[in-house]
Amino acid sequence: MSARTFPPGFLWGSATAAHQVEGNCTRNHWWEWEQEGLRQRPGGYVRDGSVSGIACDYYHRFDDDHRLAAELGHQALRISIEWSRIEPERGRFDEAELDHYRRVCDSMLQRGLVPTVTLHHFTNPIWAQREGGWENPEMASWLARFAAYAVRGLGGRVKLWWTINEPMIAPALGYMFGMHPPCVRDPVRALVVARNTLLAHRAIYRAAREAATHTVEVGPVLAMIHFEPLDPGSAADQALAQSSDRFMNEFFLAGLRDGVVADEPVDALQGSYDVIGVNYYMRVLCEAGRGDVAISGARRAAEPERWVDEMGWEVFPDGLRRCLLRAGRLGKPVYVTENGMATLDDTARTEHLYAHLEKVRGAIDEGADVRGYFYWSLMDNFEWAEGYSRHFGLVAVDRQTLERRPRPTAFVYRDIIRANAI
Ligand code: BGC
């Protein structure tokens, strides 16, 4: 295998999430928060004044989108299924909505795309949120029941399942920094939520494996961030980088690897994964004294002009290699389940893609068992608290007509996939 070639069978695709693309996910807590925002203040809570609304109308246009993805050389898609559609009221499961997702998966399969499916991607049904959401330890059993229903229902269509997308984002952005609903800023509650996401992952993993009627692989999708002290010589910056890493990265890794939650052993947690998904976007330079570590945007004066995307995130490709090696040490196959750049400058997007794929290749050379890469995202979509003003798509979506227009990087990516090489 040459230095630019990927292993045979390497799986190439892109990712989306239900609330961000489907449209009218009216029964989840994000929708409710967006609507509350409109009632509370002009422009609402979402930064650009938008709400998810019709999103990309993927709920109705999925087959056309799958055709486009296949034309763009994709071999797989990572989607999520919307819990609040399937279980709109506690304990009431809507078979018609499950059937919708059967059609979504069948459409992918007919177009030669491997479906990989996330069970929980940021959104809770309103009923679950009213009962405390992630602060309620019952989330684990609710999600396990939903997972069993979905995995059994989608049957042999899906072989690669993801339990929770970025389980540390709810604790961090929802309960520590107050940026995502329910917009709490309380480290004690954030820790409760972190513990509950880990326990819910364990419950989903077990339920999905038990419900499967065929061979499946199940794992979590971790948001991995590369933290460094802004000033490597500062003990305070170092301490902040370490504590940020411990919370955002190591909390979950240690749970999976050692079976501990905040240093306490928990039954059946260790090894509760067949695969690991890694979402990687950025380096964060930690500067003691600045509150919002996850978005500090601190700079090192001596370093050349940094690469920053529309989110204000620092692009740092080598962080991906390091995170993949770290996830790889858990001893199971790893997938890059998300990586991408929010920009309207497609030259930068192409450069970003190559730079990161080189690092994936590097991690494989150094021994990480990386099996696939999913670009975030197939198309521009509703970027949570930022709205529609962030452009992560390989495909642009006209907000008036919802027309899809592939960007130049989509064709570059298609050629990379065809060659299985960069
Ligand atoms: C999430 C996506 C999100 C993307 C860009 C990840 O945190 O899984 O839903 O759109 O990153 O922010």
Side-chain angles (χ1 to χ4, degrees):
M1 193 168 61
S2 95
R4 308 197 73 79
T5 304
F6 284 73
F10 193 84
L11 195 61
W12 297 97
S14 64
T16 61
H19 187 76
Q20 296 177 271
V21 296
E22 284 184 354
N24 294 317
C25 290
T26 59
R27 290 173 179 267
N28 72 39
H29 81 298
W30 266 87
W31 180 278
E32 191 178 47
W33 179 77
E34 295 159 26
Q35 299 302 317
E36 183 198 294
L38 293 184
R39 288 191 298 273
Q40 289 303 317
R41 62 180 192 221
Y45 291 154
V46 176
R47 192 187 294 259
D48 66 356
S50 63
V51 289
S52 56
I54 186 91
C56 306
D57 195 26
Y58 173 76
Y59 190 82
H60 297 106
R61 299 174 191 226
F62 63 84
D63 193 48
D64 285 343
D65 288 331
H66 298 164
R67 180 181 40 76
L68 181 57
E71 280 168 16
L72 293 172
H74 282 42
Q75 301 166 343
L77 279 179
R78 172 178 170 242
I79 62 160
S80 75
I81 56 176
E82 179 60 31
W83 179 17
S84 65
R85 287 192 195 276
I86 296 180
E87 191 181 357
E89 289 160 33
R90 185 175 174 170
R92 181 172 75 77
F93 288 86
D94 188 337
E95 189 66 22
E97 291 293 350
L98 184 66
D99 219 40
H100 168 79
Y101 290 112
R102 287 195 189 101
R103 287 196 297 277
V104 170
C105 292
D106 286 341
S107 149
M108 278 189 230
L109 290 164
Q110 278 155 16
R111 300 200 177 273
L113 299 167
V114 174
T116 88
V117 176
T118 308
L119 287 153
H120 185 283
H121 195 125
F122 288 2
T123 53
N124 296 333
I126 290 171
W127 64 261
Q129 195 65 18
R130 296 232 163 106
E131 298 198 38
W134 280 118
E135 289 182 275
N136 190 331
E138 278 197 74
M139 274 288 273
S141 55
W142 298 334
L143 275 162
R145 191 177 51 179
F146 161 64
Y149 181 79
V151 170
R152 206 177 300 118
L154 292 181
R157 295 169 181 83
V158 184
K159 303 197 167 66
L160 186 53
W161 286 93
W162 305 106
T163 56
I164 304 177
N165 178 71
E166 303 191 340
M168 294 308 287
I169 290 298
L173 299 191
Y175 290 85
M176 186 95 98
F177 299 126
M179 293 160 60
H180 284 185
C183 301
V184 171
R185 289 172 167 261
D186 180 342
V188 176
R189 288 169 71 182
L191 199 57
V192 169
V193 168
R195 183 187 158 81
N196 286 344
T197 60
L198 196 42
L199 296 179
H201 158 77
R202 173 186 68 164
I204 299 172
Y205 175 77
R206 209 189 293 163
R209 302 241 3 161
E210 278 171 19
T213 50
H214 51 280
T215 310
V216 291
E217 290 181 303
V218 186
V221 167
L222 307 180
M224 294 191 73
I225 296 174
H226 178 67
F227 292 101
E228 282 180 25
L230 176 66
D231 172 2
S234 149
D237 288 4
Q238 277 177 27
L240 183 61
Q242 274 166 17
S243 61
S244 305
D245 182 79
R246 218 177 303 126
F247 189 63
M248 292 303 294
N249 296 322
E250 193 54 25
F251 187 90
F252 237 78
L253 291 173
L256 300 168
R257 183 185 59 230
D258 308 326
V260 292
V261 179
D263 294 334
E264 275 179 37
V266 171
D267 190 39
L269 179 58
Q270 189 175 37
S272 58
Y273 56 98
D274 312 316
V275 284
I276 301 280
V278 171
N279 291 355
Y280 175 77
Y281 289 93
M282 68 186 124
R283 172 169 81 170
V284 170
L285 295 174
C286 299
E287 185 182 15
R290 285 180 76 137
D292 289 354
V293 169
I295 46 153
S296 77
R299 313 259 191 281
R300 278 189 193 136
E303 281 186 2
E305 186 77 343
R306 300 167 344 134
W307 213 2
V308 179
D309 75 356
E310 290 173 335
M311 302 289 284
W313 293 346
E314 185 196 355
V315 175
F316 183 70
D318 199 49
L320 177 55
R321 183 185 62 86
R322 298 182 207 197
C323 291
L324 290 173
L325 288 170
R326 192 167 170 189
R329 284 197 283 277
L330 267 65
K332 294 283 170 65
V334 177
Y335 287 81
V336 179
T337 33
E338 284 180 33
N339 175 234
M341 183 178 187
T343 182
L344 283 172
D345 172 356
D346 231 52
T347 307
R349 189 189 310 281
T350 298
E351 220 180 302
H352 174 285
L353 177 67
Y354 272 111
H356 285 80
L357 290 178
E358 260 167 35
K359 298 299 179 180
V360 176
R361 192 61 195 74
I364 294 172
D365 265 344
E366 289 178 63
D369 183 6
V370 188
R371 299 283 178 92
Y373 177 90
F374 291 76
Y375 191 82
W376 182 270
S377 176
L378 174 61
M379 56 191 144
D380 287 348
N381 58 47
F382 180 70
E383 178 51 37
W384 306 111
E386 312 292 322
Y388 289 104
S389 52
R390 305 290 182 261
H391 306 89
F392 279 101
L394 290 170
V395 175
V397 176
D398 183 308
R399 286 305 323 145
Q400 303 307 316
T401 62
L402 300 185
E403 186 202 334
R404 277 65 164 153
R405 260 171 297 107
R407 295 197 165 101
T409 308
F411 299 105
V412 173
Y413 189 43
R414 178 195 62 193
D415 294 343
I416 291 171
I417 299 173
R418 283 190 182 152
N420 198 36
I422 38 175

